Amino acid sequence: MAEERELILKLGQKVTDRIGHKVTVDDPEYWGLAGVVTDEMAEVALKMKVRKPMTFSQLLKATGKEEKELQKLLDDMSEIGLLEYNWENPKKEKQYVLPMFVPGSAEFFNMNEERLKEHPELAHFFERMSRLPLEKVTPMVPPGGAGIGMHVIPVEKAIEMENQSVDIEHISHWLKKYDGKYAASPCSCRLSRKTYGEGCADDPADWCIAVGDMADYVVETNKGGRYITYDEVIDILKRAEDNGFVHQITNIDGENKIFAICNCNVNVCYALRTSQLFNTPNMSRSAYVARVSTEDCVACGRCVEFCPAGAVKLGQKLCTNEGMIEYPKQELPDAAKWGPEKWTEDYRDKNRINCYDTGTAPCKTACPAHIAVQGYLKKAAQGKYQDALALIKKENPFPAVCGRVCNRRCEDACTRGTIDQAVAIDEVKKFIAEQDLHAETRYIPPIIPPTTGRLFDEKVAIIGAGPAGLSCAFYLAEKGYRPVVFEKNEKPGGMLRYGIPSFKLEKDVIDAEIEVIREMGVEIRCGVEIGKDITLDELRNQGYKAFYIAIGCQGGRLPGIQGEDADGVMTAVELLRTVGEDEKYPITGNVVVIGGGNVAIDVARTSQRCGAGSVQMYCLESRETMPASLEEIQEAEEEEIQINCGWGPKEVLVKDGKVTGIVLKKCVSIFDEEGRFAPKYDEDDVITVACEHVYFSVGQSIEWGNLLENSKVELGRGNGAVADSLTYQTAEPDVFVGGDVYTGPKFAIDAIAAGKEGAVSIHRFVQPNSSLTIGRNRREFIELDKENLKVSEYDNGSRQIPGMDKQIDAKKSFRDAHLTFTEEQVKAETARCLGCGASVVDENKCIGCGVCTTKCEFDAIHLFRENPDCSKMVKSEDKMKAILPYALKRGIKIKFGKKEK
């Protein structure tokens, strides 16, 4: 056991603001100082009073030390952060201050990354001292924070038009007050949390803006500070707002005095924690509360996604049969006993809940990528097509592709479908995304890295240029990375290019949207097979820090019956790829397609276009339960493709090595009692169909090759990669997976959603010591109850139907004959949206930061100055003068059960 150091114990006791606590060697007040503070430093500090300035001459007299010795000690104490200094006296003479721990020396200790590496206990010291003194006092803190810690200051533009605001509520006031005296320094919270593996993956540098004499202090004492101009300050503030960070000012020096403006991420910030963990918003909230104009809100969810306090969730706009829903509010401590049972220790996860239990718009809920459908319909209705495209690309970088091939779960769920027909959501999306097909109108999202002015230089490799891989690349690029995509085929696109026929998805549509991704800085290297041309280990040696494997299910499956190896038998994947590369591929004679999904229909329609004599489909399912969409089935039948339900393959008939027909057996059931796929047949009820070609669409397989050689990645069901369901991280920590290679064959939109989540995980992984899960948006949405709605007024127009290009033979051509909606059709169709969802603010949780207002593109959420007392700034020394009257008032309310309305 280390020797107890009496001077350090005394110093810890002197500085602590834990009322009535006797400091011991087991307390952070002791071990936080002991590693970096010498006894000589402690001796000097003990001659000072907390937050009472002393000049050099005063300290010289108080300590009795020689000038050189004292100056050296003061310099060292200032550098580690035990002391701060300023020139706030009539003579402008330098004076030293022994600060409190928080805000103060605990933070200063954490601003030097090298020191943190050498003394990681300093990170825990900061965490403890920003919490322990507050555990009992927070419920008694009045609005304004009573001179404790930090104070939220709203986004400037959110209150520009607020005529009741006061100067100190405006960042511009503070920048003017400290004109020309600014320094950017690292965020101590971000650095601290990183030290013990809870980092948020932001670049810690420059987020803390020191003002006045503090600017000199952070520059001169090796705290990573650098002087910056007014324009640089504005740029940092703007970058913070773009990332959804909260502006906070120091709140311990009374009226009209601060020493820093911070830009805080709730996932790491200790100041924001005080209100979020203890559910006591008086600690830090501004004078403002956000409120939603329901009539303008379209439930896009941007405010919800960025609200640092979890004060906004998605709800519904439509009335139920019982009236409007009343949403619950967070209980406050103003008239209730408060203790750990009222706290939310996991607030960083709880404040990322997207909607209330009663649900929100079904379209957003049903979409795997949770696109803001209601939002982009509204933008399209307003004729703001570029804005609509930008809103879609928040969740989906392939709107033009999905406008043609999505399986439209949003439409299946659409509330309008309970009245007549669902809104033609995908057709509107297709119209909006036409902009992407032309270089002069396409939308290229801005790059918004969580840094104050640099891109990330960590190298990331994405293996597979299908929808999952390219989506991952897109969202990594948006975060400030330059990922490299490796694709073994000659062209990118994966199954979009090689698995979907051109009469559904033209290749130029794929090329156009991939070009956007290239313009964002993504490099795509085609003709490179990982595991064959280069290995994962070789890429690691080249400096790649993470890998996203999204190679899809590029192989087909056979049913394992006699004759399936004959000439004339192919899997669906093989045929579609072959024809995708050469649309003049000849098919002569009759074709039988086995399968009942959309891919089987693609194969049948492709065969027809390649010259087949007749095309018949046979599937296990009944007509009502076929997995293919009704629209696909209808188009197949219009092309004279015969669909036969309730049959499975028994044997392929072969003569001289070539297909002559197929024997099919009657399917009597498809699933067992547990709902698992386990078809049963009547082996005596068979039919024989003569044909020259049999194409099996009965499943797909993953072709790993040597990709995973020497890898720890585990394979599970269907030979798919095993990974964490939230992070997609495999047993090989730097390898993440997504899309069909993880889930098995699904739709493009599922792969796109997985790609975005992969990007989130990889960003967090490659930034050292960041958590893959803390504060992560789980993307969980609940559909409102469509059976309990009172819809009184709505546009009664019928669903619009896109036209067909008469110059294209829709039954025989490989060109897409489907036209895009006209602008008039878009206006008519978007008017049919019922506008189900809306955001709801819980003002008891709102901290008045205004971040939500910067994300809303519909002018639907604003700040209102409803808590003016929250702008009362008190000196730390006077905190009990503010707390005691409020605590007394609160105690009376608790005792006599009075509740504020």
Side-chain angles (χ1 to χ4, degrees):
M1 184 177 177
E3 180 184 354
E4 180 180 306
R5 294 165 59 194
E6 183 181 355
L7 292 178
I8 301 298
L9 265 178
K10 287 183 177 180
L11 181 58
Q13 188 72 61
K14 185 182 190 72
V15 178
T16 191
D17 52 1
R18 280 205 275 174
I19 298 172
H21 179 76
K22 181 173 176 57
V23 174
T24 72
V25 294
D26 295 322
D27 287 319
E29 290 96 330
Y30 177 81
W31 50 255
L33 298 176
V36 292
V37 176
T38 66
D39 284 355
E40 290 80 7
M41 293 178 183
E43 186 182 5
V44 171
L46 287 168
K47 297 294 185 180
M48 305 173 72
K49 293 182 179 180
V50 177
R51 286 176 44 83
K52 298 296 183 183
M54 295 181 72
T55 63
F56 181 80
S57 58
Q58 289 172 329
L59 282 165
L60 197 64
K61 182 178 179 181
T63 62
K65 294 187 178 294
E66 294 186 359
E67 287 191 17
K68 286 186 178 181
E69 180 190 6
L70 178 60
Q71 189 62 64
K72 176 68 166 57
L73 279 170
L74 294 176
D75 290 344
D76 290 345
M77 293 164 74
S78 299
E79 182 168 343
I80 65 169
L82 183 61
L83 297 185
E84 58 181 276
Y85 53 73
N86 60 52
W87 292 262
E88 296 173 6
N89 53 64
K91 295 182 178 179
K92 299 297 181 184
E93 185 178 356
K94 188 175 185 178
Q95 54 189 16
Y96 297 87
V97 180
L98 177 65
M100 61 177 66
F101 283 136
V102 179
S105 56
E107 283 173 289
F108 299 147
F109 285 4
N110 279 257
M111 293 174 74
N112 184 304
E113 194 161 10
E114 291 305 312
R115 183 175 294 116
L116 272 178
K117 289 178 182 178
E118 185 178 351
H119 295 281
E121 74 276 8
L122 295 177
H124 294 281
F125 166 52
F126 183 23
E127 186 276 329
R128 291 286 82 194
M129 295 319 301
S130 59
R131 172 169 174 160
L132 293 176
L134 302 175
E135 288 186 342
K136 294 180 179 179
V137 75
T138 50
M140 298 180 284
V141 173
I148 301 174
M150 306 285 289
H151 179 71
V152 171
I153 185 167
V155 172
E156 180 90 10
K157 63 184 177 184
I159 60 170
E160 283 177 333
M161 306 305 292
E162 173 58 65
N163 57 19
Q164 293 184 339
S165 66
V166 295
D167 285 347
I168 62 172
E169 295 167 358
H170 293 262
I171 290 178
S172 57
H173 163 78
W174 298 109
L175 297 184
K176 182 178 180 181
K177 177 178 174 64
Y178 297 101
D179 186 29
K181 206 69 176 295
Y182 321 118
S185 57
C187 170
S188 51
C189 293
R190 287 174 171 89
L191 285 173
S192 168
R193 294 275 198 178
K194 275 180 61 177
T195 304
Y196 50 93
E198 291 189 5
C200 60
D202 299 345
D203 180 354
D206 295 350
W207 290 116
C208 182
I209 301 169
V211 296
D213 290 346
M214 183 58 68
D216 293 323
Y217 173 72
V218 298
V219 171
E220 295 172 357
T221 59
N222 196 27
K223 291 179 176 56
R226 63 183 181 88
Y227 291 114
I228 55 175
T229 65
Y230 174 87
D231 288 340
E232 288 176 296
V233 173
I234 296 300
D235 182 63
I236 290 172
L237 295 174
K238 174 65 166 58
R239 289 174 183 272
E241 292 165 15
D242 287 344
N243 280 281
F245 301 154
V246 179
H247 305 315
Q248 293 195 94
I249 54 177
T250 51
N251 188 29
I252 60 174
D253 291 315
E255 290 289 347
N256 211 26
K257 184 181 178 184
I258 64 172
F259 58 82
I261 304 170
C262 294
N263 297 283
C264 306
N265 184 326
V266 70
N267 287 343
V268 291
C269 179
Y270 295 132
L272 289 176
R273 179 180 67 176
T274 56
S275 63
Q276 302 305 296
L277 189 155
F278 302 123
N279 290 314
T280 51
N282 282 353
M283 281 291 301
S284 56
R285 74 191 318 177
S286 81
Y288 295 83
V289 169
R291 295 202 180 277
V292 174
S293 301
T294 305
E295 63 275 14
D296 297 319
C297 181
V298 294
C300 70
R302 298 288 289 158
C303 57
V304 177
E305 184 179 351
F306 283 91
C307 176
V312 196
K313 293 185 181 71
L314 290 175
Q316 68 182 60
K317 187 183 299 186
L318 301 178
C319 280
T320 68
N321 291 321
E322 295 79 34
M324 292 298 295
I325 292 177
E326 289 191 18
Y327 291 98
K329 297 185 185 301
Q330 170 66 46
E331 184 183 14
L332 293 177
D334 61 332
K337 291 184 178 180
W338 216 252
E341 73 283 356
K342 304 285 190 179
W343 300 350
T344 307
E345 291 284 355
D346 56 348
Y347 70 93
R348 290 180 286 178
D349 294 328
K350 292 288 178 59
N351 68 6
R352 286 292 180 267
I353 296 172
N354 287 286
C355 67
Y356 286 98
D357 292 343
T358 47
T360 190
C363 52
K364 185 175 180 69
T365 300
C367 174
H370 304 298
I371 298 171
V373 174
Q374 197 178 318
Y376 75 72
L377 291 179
K378 184 69 170 181
K379 287 292 185 185
Q382 297 170 343
K384 298 176 180 178
Y385 304 127
Q386 184 81 177
D387 290 348
L389 183 57
L391 193 55
I392 294 170
K393 287 196 174 183
K394 299 293 183 186
E395 311 294 349
N396 179 3
F398 290 102
V401 167
C402 287
R404 289 160 171 81
V405 301
C406 192
N407 65 326
R408 305 182 179 185
R409 276 170 269 183
C410 54
E411 293 186 22
D412 291 341
C414 178
T415 305
R416 182 63 189 246
T418 64
I419 295 174
D420 44 29
Q421 286 183 293
V423 176
I425 295 168
D426 240 34
E427 296 296 346
V428 176
K429 184 199 300 163
K430 181 180 176 182
F431 172 90
I432 293 167
E434 285 294 299
Q435 298 169 95
D436 253 4
L437 308 187
H438 311 285
E440 63 275 12
T441 56
R442 65 176 46 130
Y443 175 73
I444 301 172
I447 307 301
I448 307 176
T451 72
T452 57
R454 74 174 182 93
L455 298 179
F456 291 111
D457 54 13
E458 289 80 5
K459 297 173 71 173
V460 176
I462 294 167
I463 302 164
L470 291 173
S471 295
C472 183
F474 176 94
Y475 290 109
L476 281 171
E478 194 176 52
K479 274 285 190 187
Y481 293 88
R482 291 293 179 262
V484 178
V485 182
F486 295 91
E487 169 57 54
K488 73 175 183 179
N489 291 310
E490 292 182 7
K491 294 183 178 180
M495 295 301 280
L496 298 178
R497 183 181 301 278
Y498 295 107
I500 301 177
S502 293
F503 56 81
K504 289 176 64 176
L505 179 60
E506 298 273 19
K507 302 299 183 278
D508 63 345
V509 174
I510 303 169
D511 291 336
E513 295 204 300
I514 291 176
E515 186 56 33
V516 171
I517 296 173
R518 283 195 171 102
E519 290 192 39
M520 292 179 70
V522 175
E523 181 184 352
I524 303 174
R525 298 180 189 173
C526 291
V528 180
E529 183 175 349
I530 308 300
K532 178 181 177 182
D533 301 311
I534 190 170
T535 67
L536 291 178
D537 281 339
E538 287 171 334
L539 288 173
R540 289 187 181 99
N541 291 336
Q542 292 180 18
Y544 285 90
K545 302 297 184 184
F547 304 90
Y548 187 67
I549 298 179
I551 60 175
C553 295
Q554 65 277 56
R557 291 188 186 277
L558 293 168
I561 61 174
Q562 187 174 335
E564 66 181 22
D565 57 349
D567 185 9
V569 174
M570 293 176 75
T571 65
V573 172
E574 186 181 0
L575 176 73
L576 292 175
R577 180 185 181 88
T578 300
V579 178
E581 293 174 337
D582 178 13
E583 291 177 352
K584 295 182 180 179
Y585 177 78
I587 297 177
T588 58
N590 297 329
V591 169
V592 169
V593 178
I594 304 297
N598 286 340
V599 174
I601 288 182
D602 286 348
V603 169
R605 297 176 69 192
T606 296
S607 302
Q608 190 90 294
R609 286 161 172 76
C610 288
S614 70
V615 181
Q616 294 192 72
M617 290 178 60
Y618 289 87
C619 64
L620 301 178
E621 300 85 1
S622 67
R623 181 62 177 268
E624 293 73 29
T625 59
M626 281 179 67
S629 69
L630 293 176
E631 183 180 1
E632 296 273 348
I633 294 170
Q634 181 181 347
E635 291 192 341
E637 290 185 328
E638 287 173 357
E639 294 175 14
E640 300 177 356
I641 292 166
Q642 185 178 343
I643 300 175
N644 305 278
C645 296
W647 297 96
K650 183 171 184 175
E651 177 188 357
V652 177
L653 301 178
V654 184
K655 184 177 180 180
D656 298 329
K658 295 183 179 181
V659 172
T660 62
I662 185 168
V663 179
L664 298 132
K665 52 189 176 181
K666 189 66 176 177
C667 180
V668 295
S669 68
I670 301 174
F671 302 101
D672 63 18
E673 293 179 354
E674 282 74 39
R676 294 173 296 195
F677 182 74
K680 293 181 180 179
Y681 304 93
D682 182 347
E683 300 288 345
D684 296 324
D685 189 355
V686 298
I687 57 173
T688 300
V689 181
C691 61
E692 285 70 42
H693 303 275
V694 177
Y695 299 131
F696 287 105
S697 180
V698 295
Q700 295 167 234
S701 63
I702 303 168
E703 297 178 350
W704 287 105
N706 295 320
L707 172 55
L708 299 180
E709 198 169 80
N710 300 321
S711 169
K712 297 176 184 175
V713 176
E714 300 171 1
L715 301 182
R717 184 178 178 183
N719 212 32
V722 176
D724 182 86
S725 60
L726 175 63
T727 67
Y728 297 143
Q729 187 178 39
T730 68
E732 189 80 70
D734 62 354
V735 174
F736 298 79
V737 294
D740 291 357
V741 79
Y742 172 65
T743 62
K746 280 197 169 185
F747 296 91
I749 191 64
D750 297 283
I752 288 164
K756 182 171 184 179
E757 289 303 309
V760 172
S761 291
I762 288 171
H763 164 56
R764 287 170 172 240
F765 176 79
V766 300
Q767 297 308 313
N769 302 310
S770 298
S771 169
L772 295 186
T773 61
I774 290 175
R776 185 174 183 136
N777 189 338
R778 265 60 174 177
R779 309 287 287 166
E780 294 171 349
F781 295 83
I782 301 169
E783 180 181 298
L784 57 78
D785 183 359
K786 289 182 289 191
E787 302 302 316
N788 185 23
L789 292 177
K790 187 176 182 180
V791 183
S792 53
E793 295 181 3
Y794 58 90
D795 183 286
N796 59 9
S798 58
R799 179 177 168 120
Q800 298 293 302
I801 300 172
M804 300 292 287
D805 189 337
K806 302 299 183 183
Q807 298 180 2
I808 297 175
D809 186 343
K811 294 183 179 181
K812 295 183 179 180
S813 175
F814 273 101
R815 304 285 67 77
D816 184 1
H818 297 88
L819 294 174
T820 303
F821 269 174
T822 64
E823 194 162 5
E824 290 72 23
Q825 285 181 301
V826 168
K827 298 294 184 190
E829 192 60 33
T830 54
R832 299 182 65 244
C833 175
L834 298 175
C836 302
S839 293
V840 179
V841 176
D842 180 351
E843 62 267 27
N844 287 359
K845 288 181 71 68
C846 179
I847 57 175
C849 64
V851 167
C852 55
T853 69
T854 70
K855 302 304 174 185
C856 180
E857 298 177 25
F858 299 88
D859 198 33
I861 191 164
H862 302 90
L863 293 186
F864 296 87
R865 194 171 187 267
E866 296 183 4
N867 299 307
D869 287 349
C870 287
S871 287
K872 185 176 182 180
M873 300 178 75
V874 175
K875 282 187 176 182
S876 176
E877 289 74 15
D878 296 331
K879 59 177 174 282
M880 296 313 296
K881 295 178 183 178
I883 290 173
L884 289 176
Y886 185 82
L888 179 62
K889 179 182 175 183
R890 173 176 171 263
I892 292 172
K893 283 199 290 185
I894 293 172
K895 183 175 181 179
F896 294 101
K898 294 181 180 179
K899 303 282 184 180
E900 285 190 354
K901 293 182 180 179

